[in-house]
Amino acid sequence: MRIFSPHLHLSLWISSLLLASCSQGLLERRQNPVRIPDAPHQDNSDAGAVSDEKTETPKDTPPPLESPEPYHLSYGFKSGRQLFNSYKNASLWKPSPSAIQLFNAMEESLPIKGYASDFDSTKQGNIVKLASIFCAELIGDAAARKAFFTTDYALLTPTQLTPEAKAAIARTLMEGLWGYETKAMNMVEMEKILVDLQTQVLVGNVSVAQAMAGVCIAVASSMPAVML
Amino acid sequence: MREQFLRLKGTYILILLAGLSAASAWASPEDQCYRMYSRLTGVSPKIQDVKACTDLMAQGKVDEAVFAMTDHEFFYSETLKSIFSAWTNKDRKVLTPLNDFSATAIGLARDNVDFRTLLTSDVVYTCEGAPGLPAYSNQNNNHYKTCETNANLKTALVAKKQSDLNPMLKNKTNVPAGAFTTRAFAESFYMDGTNRVAVKETLASFLCEDIPAFHDTAIPDYRVRQDIERNPGGAAKSYVNECKGCHAGMDGLGGAFAYLDFDKTTAQLIYADDKPQKKYLRNSLTFIDGYKTTDDGWINLWATGPNARVGWTFAEGQKPEGYGPRSLGVMFGNSDQFSRCMAKYATEKVCVDNLDLKSARLVALAKEFKDSGYNLRVLFAKTALSCAGE
């Protein structure tokens, strides 16, 4: 079954916008980090004794781990491999040989270290490609799709795609791919995408399965923006 | 219209991040479990994973809850491997196939073995049970490449003796020496050159500082080898003020690798303990009065002076010198900075923090690492806890 059509470009565009906006926000955070004041350096030179030339200095007394020193809360992006792993971990997706080949071929042009500086528009584009093949294979494979969504929404007719069904699709994807912490945060945003996709479904441009794939791509390609 | 939408979306995301930030300062047990799990494994937890964690936390078993996360397949195959892979090549590339060096580091971590033994032990981890797995070979990396592709690193790695797999290392006094006598280390750092890169990369990987950080022109230069020009370009000052500052210490340590090489023809590690490799005596006429390597003796001339900051630790009466890579590995592993360096890797990976080696947080985590018997999983678990939110 061919899942994608040119009409889904809209959702890809939205995904890119979401990513671009997120990465800009994170970039700003990374450039203005909250710094933790370091403790004054204490020399350890007693440890490296050379016979008579031993130099005595006070030993370090490390503070306990529970010390009140504030931690520096940072955000990171998922690396390309973490994304790939996340897709597999969240679902019963077994990447096809062509998906593995695509991933191997472009891994170097996906985020590698998870820093904002390691994240540019080429990488964003490749993340959408990776998310696209994941979503196509997840929703195209009946067993994996049923296991992930529990209810087989892809078999619904356009008129059966009720607001409740749409919300369930989006929630399942977000909880599965983004995890617990972000489950409620982006529902408002996601609803805009769902409304648009349902319009496409209702006018007959895309099937329900294609609409699901569009939502899936938006969620899956936004994973790097989620705090690790 | 499009610009307006973009602005709105951008504002929304910024508000969302601000919300995340504010929420993080008052993290619930669920928040903490989510964050620790996703940072340690690189994948989002399932609802039941979060519940298992919060249940343990509710019983006061916080350490147990976090330590369990370090037994996740992706903690080994992604989190740890991405750190260890960079140690195995000159370019410090993360995207490097699994090899005997990185597999051994992963195996030691998984088995809760004293991680210092990575630099000293007669151990190498090989793979078992993967479909289509080629036999281990001293002459290629096919075994590990296939292992990474076809096996789960959490379960497939098995400890073996290097001396059983590589006859050259059998019944020797100063080797095997963990990573130093792996094929991957040899291919990257003994091939060609003068083996100085082996010192450079050891410092970078296990003390988290490159050669320039150790620059000290005050130490004696009697170990600087013959191939180093003492009057480069007619400027003796240049040698005294620049070259000597690194070479005096580096060449002293580099003696440890004098019997080691990598044969490009047979593609394998070479160890010959009857005389130093030819590379150690190359260009000997450059400065004939320089140090002539005769064995694999090494000395740490950075043990005193400003580089004592490393926190070298020796037994009572022991001098900072020895023979071969194993004793060198013992010295590096026992240093305070080795532990702080491992804590630095953990905080970079798990907390997305780039801390100074002297920071109080790294000192505290390094102590936890030592107290645990240099257990890397404990270090990562403690690190995850340290930035899980309150």
Side-chain angles (χ1 to χ4, degrees):
Chain A
M1 178 176 64
R2 187 169 180 272
I3 298 280
F4 295 100
S5 78
H7 303 289
L8 286 182
H9 285 181
L10 178 64
S11 66
L12 297 182
W13 175 73
I14 290 170
S15 306
S16 302
L17 285 185
L18 190 63
L19 278 168
S21 307
C22 292
S23 59
Q24 182 59 36
L26 289 173
L27 186 61
E28 285 164 7
R29 276 192 61 82
R30 296 293 303 174
Q31 286 170 341
N32 300 291
V34 179
R35 298 307 309 163
I36 296 172
D38 286 341
H41 175 47
Q42 294 175 307
D43 207 308
N44 283 328
S45 51
D46 64 327
V50 181
S51 58
D52 295 334
E53 296 174 22
K54 186 170 179 177
T55 308
E56 294 289 357
T57 52
K59 279 190 175 178
D60 269 350
T61 310
L65 196 60
E66 309 71 47
S67 72
E69 183 182 15
Y71 64 91
H72 171 199
L73 185 69
S74 306
Y75 298 104
F77 298 104
K78 282 186 166 61
S79 69
R81 189 164 287 276
Q82 284 175 330
L83 264 182
F84 195 64
N85 289 341
S86 296
Y87 295 157
K88 287 190 284 185
N89 193 56
S91 66
L92 292 182
W93 180 46
K94 290 188 175 57
S96 66
S98 62
I100 292 170
Q101 199 174 8
L102 172 77
F103 173 70
N104 289 338
M106 70 182 190
E107 188 176 5
E108 292 206 23
S109 48
L110 288 166
I112 291 173
K113 290 190 173 175
Y115 298 135
S117 57
D118 187 36
F119 201 88
D120 56 30
S121 57
T122 306
K123 291 183 171 67
Q124 288 174 26
N126 284 335
I127 287 166
V128 174
K129 280 185 201 168
L130 188 62
S132 299
I133 198 159
F134 159 67
C135 291
E137 294 188 357
L138 175 70
I139 294 172
D141 175 347
R145 184 178 71 230
K146 281 181 201 166
F148 186 82
F149 289 98
T150 316
T151 303
D152 203 350
Y153 299 104
L155 300 181
L156 299 179
T157 63
T159 50
Q160 288 173 319
L161 192 62
T162 60
E164 291 74 24
K166 284 191 303 179
I169 292 167
R171 196 178 301 111
T172 306
L173 281 162
M174 284 191 285
E175 286 187 5
L177 299 180
W178 287 354
Y180 139 84
E181 186 154 359
T182 56
K183 63 183 179 186
M185 291 184 180
N186 290 290
M187 276 309 286
V188 175
E189 198 68 19
M190 195 51 62
E191 277 172 12
K192 293 177 192 166
I193 299 172
L194 286 164
V195 167
D196 175 74
L197 285 166
Q198 191 174 31
T199 306
Q200 298 293 321
V201 173
L202 289 173
V203 298
N205 285 338
V206 296
S207 67
V208 172
Q210 286 170 323
M212 286 175 69
V215 179
C216 175
I217 293 165
V219 175
S221 59
S222 303
M223 282 180 84
V226 175
M227 177 178 61
L228 282 177
Chain B
M1 177 69 185
R2 179 180 161 143
E3 282 172 5
Q4 211 172 18
F5 179 65
L6 181 60
R7 256 200 312 277
L8 270 173
K9 188 176 286 286
T11 307
Y12 172 75
I13 295 299
L14 286 174
I15 291 169
L16 188 151
L17 284 172
L20 268 177
S21 176
S24 301
W26 305 101
S28 67
E30 286 82 6
D31 294 331
Q32 292 177 321
C33 287
Y34 174 87
R35 186 173 297 128
M36 291 189 290
Y37 189 102
S38 63
R39 288 179 170 196
L40 284 167
T41 66
V43 299
S44 302
K46 298 187 172 89
I47 301 293
Q48 59 267 33
D49 297 322
V50 174
K51 188 173 183 313
C53 171
T54 51
D55 285 351
L56 282 170
M57 285 175 82
Q59 297 166 39
K61 297 176 180 172
V62 178
D63 286 349
E64 193 179 318
V66 190
F67 190 72
M69 294 174 188
T70 67
D71 200 31
H72 193 287
E73 157 187 7
F74 294 133
F75 175 69
Y76 301 114
S77 65
E78 166 54 33
T79 307
L80 291 186
K81 185 186 169 262
S82 67
I83 295 170
F84 301 154
S85 288
W87 297 351
T88 69
N89 65 92
K90 279 183 198 167
D91 298 329
R92 307 194 78 74
K93 282 182 71 173
V94 170
L95 301 182
T96 302
L98 185 75
N99 52 50
D100 53 353
F101 183 171
S102 51
T104 301
I106 291 170
L108 292 173
R110 182 201 63 187
D111 293 346
N112 304 311
V113 176
D114 182 334
F115 199 64
R116 295 174 299 173
T117 59
L118 177 64
L119 303 179
T120 59
S121 267
D122 182 6
V123 67
V124 62
Y125 277 75
T126 62
C127 193
E128 279 185 5
L133 187 70
Y136 170 88
S137 169
N138 288 314
Q139 294 180 285
N140 62 58
N141 194 45
N142 298 343
H143 175 80
Y144 292 97
K145 273 187 184 169
T146 307
C147 177
E148 181 174 25
T149 309
N150 295 354
N152 176 348
L153 298 186
K154 178 187 161 184
T155 53
L157 296 175
V158 178
K160 299 271 176 66
K161 284 189 168 190
Q162 287 187 18
S163 55
D164 287 343
L165 296 175
N166 189 343
M168 279 189 213
L169 303 175
K170 192 119 187 137
N171 301 322
K172 303 293 182 187
T173 308
N174 303 326
V175 291
F180 295 135
T181 41
T182 58
R183 185 182 175 279
F185 192 93
E187 185 175 27
S188 292
F189 309 132
Y190 300 146
M191 193 199 294
D192 300 327
T194 59
N195 281 5
R196 288 187 176 97
V197 73
V199 177
K200 176 187 186 302
E201 296 299 332
T202 299
L203 294 171
S205 295
F206 300 110
L207 298 186
C208 292
E209 284 187 322
D210 207 345
I211 287 282
F214 295 87
H215 192 265
D216 179 8
T217 54
I219 60 173
D221 66 345
Y222 65 91
R223 286 295 294 247
V224 178
R225 285 191 239 157
Q226 295 171 316
D227 60 340
I228 298 302
E229 176 65 75
R230 267 42 170 201
N231 195 21
K237 274 187 180 173
S238 176
Y239 168 77
V240 172
N241 295 327
E242 293 170 27
C243 313
K244 178 189 157 190
C246 295
H247 275 282
M250 178 169 56
D251 285 8
L253 295 171
F257 305 115
Y259 292 156
L260 290 152
D261 202 352
F262 184 79
D263 186 328
K264 281 195 281 191
T265 309
T266 59
Q268 65 180 333
L269 169 84
I270 298 294
Y271 180 78
D273 60 358
D274 53 344
K275 60 181 179 183
Q277 298 293 336
K278 284 179 186 170
K279 60 172 72 177
Y280 274 74
L281 304 169
R282 199 178 295 146
N283 299 320
S284 59
L285 296 180
T286 301
F287 187 71
I288 195 72
D289 291 332
Y291 182 75
K292 184 178 179 183
T293 305
T294 56
D295 56 24
D296 63 348
W298 59 267
I299 183 164
N300 182 4
L301 295 169
W302 285 329
T304 55
N307 290 310
R309 67 191 164 79
V310 167
W312 310 103
T313 304
F314 300 100
E316 186 71 30
Q318 185 189 4
K319 292 183 177 180
E321 57 190 53
Y323 290 89
R326 186 188 295 152
S327 56
L328 188 77
V330 170
M331 179 184 71
F332 277 116
N334 285 340
S335 71
D336 283 346
Q337 193 158 320
F338 171 79
S339 298
R340 280 182 275 132
C341 177
M342 295 303 117
K344 183 173 171 62
Y345 287 116
T347 51
E348 280 180 5
K349 197 71 187 173
V350 178
C351 302
V352 205
D353 264 341
N354 184 11
L355 297 176
D356 188 285
L357 279 166
K358 295 171 290 191
S359 83
R361 274 182 66 202
L362 289 194
V363 171
L365 287 167
K367 183 177 183 303
E368 298 270 2
F369 181 44
K370 284 183 195 174
D371 290 349
S372 71
Y374 297 87
N375 184 318
L376 206 69
R377 286 174 60 197
V378 170
L379 172 64
F380 273 74
K382 295 284 185 186
T383 303
L385 265 173
S386 78
C387 56
E390 293 166 352

